[in-house]
Amino acid sequence: MMKLLAIDGNSLINRAFYGIKMLTTKNGQYTNAIYGFINILHRLEEMEKPDGVVVAFDLKAPTFRHLKYEAYKAGRKGMPEELRQQMPLLKEWLDLAGYVRLECEGFEADDILGTIARLCEESDNECVISTGDRDSLQLISDKTRVLLATTKMGKPEIVNYTVDELDLKYGLTPNEMIELKALMGDSSDNIPGVAGVGEKTASDLIERFHSIDYIYENLDELDIKEGIKNKLLADKENAFLSRELGTICKTAPISANLDSYKYKQQNTQSLAHFMTGLELFKIMEKMGLHADSTPMPEKNTTVKKLSVCALPLVSDTATLYCENGEWAVISDGNAFKCDEEYIADILKDSTIKKRVYDYKNLYKKFKNTESVVFDALLAAYICNPSASSYDTDRLFQEYGATLPEFDGDAEQIIKNAALFDDCCDLLQNELDRSGQTELFETIEMPLAKVLGDMELVGFSVDVDGLKAMSNELADRIDVIEKEIYGLVGYEFNLNSPKQLGVALFEELGLPAKKKTKSGYSTNAEVLEDLKHLHPAVSLLLEYRTLAKLKSTYTDGLQECVQADGKIHTTFNQTETRTGRISSLEPNLQNIPVRTNEGKRLREFFVAGKNKVLVDADYSQIELRVLASMSGDENMINAFTSGADIHTATAAQVFGLPIEMVTPVLRSRAKAVNFGIVYGIGAFSLAKDIGVTRKEADDYIKSYLATYPKVAAYMENTINDAKQNGYVTTLFGRKRYLPELQNSNGMIRAFGERVARNAPIQGTAADVIKLAMVKVFNRLEKEVPTAKLILQVHDELIVECLKEDAQRVCDILKYEMENAANMAVTLTADAAYGENWLRSKI
């Protein structure tokens, strides 16, 4: 017996589109609906293991139902553009993947499914229908099941409907589901039904009397309330029309040969190439599609023949490839496997230019590395900063790397090295095409070595100090717990939102915000609003702050200290879309500074014996970048005059002499200064600085009037981004923004905020990276015992001998201030001390 899986394509892709967050390729092509559809399809196949899959789609042309009833489906919203552009791509994918796709002019997808079901029943075969449309429940029989996609408690699920399950759920037979729609209608399809008769009434009538024919033929004698009888009489014509519209046709003009619906031959090469273009690499992996299945892209290069050999490397270029501890080298048409000792010799030879993957970790492993000119990992990141992964397998597929011919046999490691060699060429071409080669060569490549060295050096930690603070926090937390219990009247789990909600809003009677099924909200925002109403709330906020400090920092950091007494954080160069460096395991860029307890943590990051820490940070770098990139004379003058920018802004925005600017006004001007870069609105600004929305709106308008070229720059940046699809930093780094073309207003607004901010934040990130490279090079030449050990956004920390402290301060200050040539001079302050806290004072 054959089993066919018949899928309502429109229903399934709609559920995928709305159920999965927006995904795009680096070129801005939306793929979330396709991604979701394929995953659901594969899950259905795993569940059912059919002999063939038929995917039915609606066509835009009118169906026989429209001809019968002009208002059929009238008023339905059109398909969102983000979904519309994915429909032809999904259909192409289905064709390439070997699935049968059916569309039938004048008929809907439901009618195709109904016809498939009938054909299966008549030939004693099984049909399984997958849909999110309850209409298909009328098709259930001994040979046909319906897998109905629904949502339960906010989570998607699939219900397997058989005749028995339908009876259990609705108390109706499949045919009676048609009669049900005749009475209750369907607002989504604009089927009228009987006015005033809802699902509950319709279900009762059909369960008792089974059909509208029987009801209307015996209306006078039936036990039906008079009001409902009147409604039935008034809309009799609509009841029969609705039944006709709601009945799925089982005679759509499709092939009656069920063998034609079995799986077709998959076009593997074309499918792999197509999915590579959509960047569906995880699905490709599950489907067993690999890079070597991808046809060669059109390019004017000759496929070279590589021989497998082990000759000494005499050329001046080489591509080094490592996989699972095995090494291979490609150079001058030769490919050969080698050991780490051979690689070490190549790496330290400055006459040979090397291309590698993950230069930072290669530097950490071999230390002595010269003339490494290309890192495929960094190149891939620059070309596509939004990618979820930069694994080599993905890069081979994404950039269409191809395998050359070999003379003789070749091991897999050598074949992969050849693919990598081609991938490096393709990535270099993409850097050139996108105008990001200089960014790659002058910032990212030299920075990889700097970060590798910083990770090797590490940051010394006073473990005893951390332990002492941890014990102190434990004592304070214990006291606070007892005080809270005393105020509430009993002990409970302070870390349980449910128990806490009961204590605050039921026992203490504090005003609660909306209660959900899981209980009361007790997040930080809620507690901040309540802290003046009861002392227990303020204590709870303090408890949370101290508990976080203890668990994450005073306890957590101790676990990260290695045998040498140092923390060796990992600097991630390929994580953020803006180009910023991130820190993890542990994140040293996230050490709290807003509270006194948080600042104390810096006391336990210390210099080594006879050494000090030199700390230098930029002064308002992002605002200086904004002034330079916008060319606003007023802002530039405010910086060049040497005045405090926030005070100067306050004076101009509020129309006051500088000497009359109060700390409150300066604080408000500061909030506007930084907020404007992030596209802050009046509502958010009002909340941040505690003024009315009208006042906040006036501040923003006054600010933009004060700095008119800033306003023009922001507007032009957004317009250019909409036209180009991306924004760029001063150094050419691109941030792609498909959100700007989204039909959802909130997503577009997010895209506009990013368009305003990314060039500023990204340029600041590029500047600090340049400064790191320059500082590192100066220290290597002039103060080799001094080591750059940490970067925190606009702050650099160097460990050096005490006698070198002032010299290192001067180097840091000079190189940071001269890292980039802009309209506004960059300024940096440097100081030193025996620990991180003291070096900031």
Side-chain angles (χ1 to χ4, degrees), residues 742-788:
N742 199 288
S743 62
N744 183 302
M746 290 181 65
I747 296 176
R748 281 200 313 277
F750 167 77
E752 291 181 4
R753 288 195 298 274
V754 174
R756 289 187 188 98
N757 169 250
I760 308 301
Q761 191 180 99
T763 297
D766 290 341
V767 169
I768 193 75
K769 286 179 172 181
L770 271 171
M772 292 172 72
V773 172
K774 290 176 180 250
V775 166
F776 180 85
N777 291 337
R778 280 281 304 275
L779 293 177
E780 266 200 329
K781 292 178 182 176
E782 300 176 26
V783 195
T785 55
K787 292 292 182 180
L788 187 61

Side-chain angles (χ1 to χ4, degrees), residues 356-390:
V356 302
Y357 179 90
D358 194 357
Y359 176 36
K360 183 190 76 172
N361 281 322
L362 194 70
Y363 172 82
K364 287 174 65 178
K365 181 178 179 65
F366 290 96
K367 311 297 188 298
N368 191 355
T369 58
E370 301 290 340
S371 302
V372 176
V373 297
F374 192 86
D375 181 348
L377 172 62
L378 293 179
Y381 165 65
I382 291 173
C383 293
N384 186 5
S386 300
S388 59
S389 165
Y390 301 103

Side-chain angles (χ1 to χ4, degrees), residues 250-486:
K250 296 183 179 180
T251 56
I254 61 173
S255 172
N257 179 9
L258 291 183
D259 286 335
S260 66
Y261 301 129
K262 289 183 177 180
Y263 287 110
K264 305 294 186 244
Q265 181 67 41
Q266 189 180 84
N267 189 333
T268 305
Q269 279 201 331
S270 296
L271 181 61
H273 185 59
F274 180 74
M275 294 180 72
T276 295
L278 295 179
E279 299 175 14
L280 299 173
F281 301 114
K282 287 185 179 178
I283 298 178
M284 289 178 69
E285 186 178 340
K286 290 178 183 177
M287 294 177 65
L289 298 172
H290 305 290
D292 57 3
S293 300
T294 310
M296 188 193 306
E298 294 181 8
K299 55 182 181 178
N300 297 320
T301 58
T302 304
V303 176
K304 53 192 174 185
K305 286 192 175 184
L306 295 176
S307 58
V308 183
C309 62
L311 299 173
L313 188 64
V314 293
S315 65
D316 59 0
T317 61
T319 301
L320 314 183
Y321 181 76
C322 180
E323 186 176 298
N324 299 324
E326 289 191 306
W327 286 91
V329 176
I330 304 287
S331 186
D332 284 354
N334 293 318
F336 55 94
K337 187 178 173 182
C338 55
D339 57 23
E340 284 191 1
E341 185 178 351
Y342 189 91
I343 293 295
D345 288 340
I346 296 176
L347 284 170
K348 67 185 179 184
D349 189 337
S350 61
T351 65
I352 303 173
K353 295 178 180 178
K354 276 81 66 174
R355 302 196 300 187
V356 302
Y357 179 90
D358 194 357
Y359 176 36
K360 183 190 76 172
N361 281 322
L362 194 70
Y363 172 82
K364 287 174 65 178
K365 181 178 179 65
F366 290 96
K367 311 297 188 298
N368 191 355
T369 58
E370 301 290 340
S371 302
V372 176
V373 297
F374 192 86
D375 181 348
L377 172 62
L378 293 179
Y381 165 65
I382 291 173
C383 293
N384 186 5
S386 300
S388 59
S389 165
Y390 301 103
D391 292 341
T392 52
D393 284 348
R394 172 185 171 126
L395 299 184
F396 296 163
Q397 296 174 70
E398 183 173 354
Y399 293 94
T402 55
L403 192 67
E405 297 176 15
F406 285 87
D407 290 338
D409 296 328
E411 291 184 51
Q412 189 60 47
I413 179 67
I414 294 176
K415 290 181 179 180
N416 288 348
L419 282 169
F420 180 67
D421 188 51
D422 191 45
C423 188
C424 288
D425 289 338
L426 295 162
L427 282 165
Q428 182 65 68
N429 292 340
E430 181 63 17
L431 287 173
D432 295 340
R433 186 199 64 77
S434 64
Q436 297 182 98
T437 300
E438 186 176 357
L439 169 76
F440 173 76
E441 293 177 348
T442 62
I443 297 180
E444 297 296 350
M445 276 300 297
L447 181 68
K449 179 180 177 180
V450 175
L451 295 177
D453 195 75
M454 290 167 65
E455 290 181 15
L456 286 171
V457 174
F459 205 146
S460 295
V461 175
D462 177 5
V463 177
D464 291 336
L466 281 175
K467 288 179 180 176
M469 185 175 178
S470 187
N471 292 333
E472 178 189 325
L473 289 173
D475 291 340
R476 291 174 62 187
I477 289 168
D478 187 56
V479 170
I480 291 171
E481 280 183 331
K482 288 181 171 62
E483 289 184 39
I484 294 173
Y485 296 152

Side-chain angles (χ1 to χ4, degrees), residues 667-696:
S667 178
R668 291 177 180 178
K670 181 178 179 180
V672 181
N673 262 329
F674 287 117
I676 209 76
V677 177
Y678 292 87
I680 198 169
F683 178 81
S684 297
L685 180 62
K687 191 173 182 181
D688 287 348
I689 63 177
V691 299
T692 66
R693 191 170 181 176
K694 172 70 167 58
E695 287 176 301

Side-chain angles (χ1 to χ4, degrees), residues 578-580 617-630 635 639 645-646 670 673-679 703 710 713-714 756-768 791-794 822 824-827:
T578 58
R580 276 187 168 187
D617 61 357
Y618 280 113
S619 172
Q620 298 147 349
I621 184 171
E622 290 191 1
L623 290 178
R624 292 172 187 270
V625 169
L626 174 61
S628 298
M629 293 185 75
S630 67
M635 187 175 278
F639 276 114
I645 185 63
H646 303 311
K670 181 178 179 180
N673 262 329
F674 287 117
I676 209 76
V677 177
Y678 292 87
Y703 178 94
V710 169
Y713 168 76
M714 295 295 185
R756 289 187 188 98
N757 169 250
I760 308 301
Q761 191 180 99
T763 297
D766 290 341
V767 169
I768 193 75
Q791 181 262 7
V792 182
H793 306 316
D794 58 357
M822 295 191 295
V824 174
T825 303
L826 298 172
T827 63

Side-chain angles (χ1 to χ4, degrees), residues 454-702:
M454 290 167 65
E455 290 181 15
L456 286 171
V457 174
F459 205 146
S460 295
V461 175
D462 177 5
V463 177
D464 291 336
L466 281 175
K467 288 179 180 176
M469 185 175 178
S470 187
N471 292 333
E472 178 189 325
L473 289 173
D475 291 340
R476 291 174 62 187
I477 289 168
D478 187 56
V479 170
I480 291 171
E481 280 183 331
K482 288 181 171 62
E483 289 184 39
I484 294 173
Y485 296 152
L487 289 168
V488 175
Y490 63 92
E491 292 188 10
F492 61 96
N493 184 355
L494 293 178
N495 298 311
S496 165
K498 187 173 183 180
Q499 293 183 36
L500 181 60
V502 171
L504 295 179
F505 305 118
E506 294 181 12
E507 295 297 329
L508 297 180
L510 295 175
K513 291 191 176 182
K514 184 179 179 182
K515 185 179 180 182
T516 64
K517 291 180 179 179
S518 58
Y520 301 97
S521 173
T522 58
N523 61 28
E525 185 179 359
V526 170
L527 296 184
E528 282 292 335
D529 291 340
L530 298 173
K531 68 180 180 181
H532 300 297
L533 300 180
H534 198 284
V537 181
S538 295
L539 286 169
L540 183 63
L541 286 167
E542 185 180 1
Y543 166 85
R544 285 185 174 178
T545 299
L546 298 181
K548 172 73 172 177
L549 276 173
K550 184 179 186 302
S551 63
T552 304
Y553 298 107
T554 59
D555 290 347
L557 289 173
Q558 289 181 56
E559 297 173 2
C560 299
V561 179
Q562 297 185 18
D564 60 358
K566 295 182 177 183
I567 285 178
H568 296 265
T569 186
T570 298
F571 295 101
N572 197 327
Q573 200 175 348
T574 61
E575 183 179 38
T576 69
R577 296 184 181 187
T578 58
R580 276 187 168 187
I581 302 164
S582 64
S583 163
L584 61 153
E585 296 178 348
N587 182 358
L588 295 186
Q589 295 180 337
N590 205 31
I591 302 295
V593 295
R594 294 188 179 182
T595 64
N596 289 330
E597 289 88 351
K599 288 179 181 177
R600 275 187 60 196
L601 288 169
R602 296 191 172 203
E603 185 180 341
F604 309 120
F605 288 86
V606 299
K609 188 177 181 181
N610 298 322
K611 294 183 178 181
V612 292
L613 300 177
V614 181
D615 188 305
D617 61 357
Y618 280 113
S619 172
Q620 298 147 349
I621 184 171
E622 290 191 1
L623 290 178
R624 292 172 187 270
V625 169
L626 174 61
S628 298
M629 293 185 75
S630 67
D632 188 278
E633 292 85 356
N634 291 341
M635 187 175 278
I636 292 172
N637 291 336
F639 276 114
T640 55
S641 68
D644 174 74
I645 185 63
H646 303 311
T647 303
T649 298
Q652 295 195 49
V653 168
F654 301 119
L656 296 170
I658 282 184
E659 58 271 17
M660 292 184 67
V661 173
T662 65
V664 171
L665 292 178
R666 182 188 181 277
S667 178
R668 291 177 180 178
K670 181 178 179 180
V672 181
N673 262 329
F674 287 117
I676 209 76
V677 177
Y678 292 87
I680 198 169
F683 178 81
S684 297
L685 180 62
K687 191 173 182 181
D688 287 348
I689 63 177
V691 299
T692 66
R693 191 170 181 176
K694 172 70 167 58
E695 287 176 301
D697 188 54
D698 289 342
Y699 292 166
I700 292 173
K701 288 176 179 175
S702 297

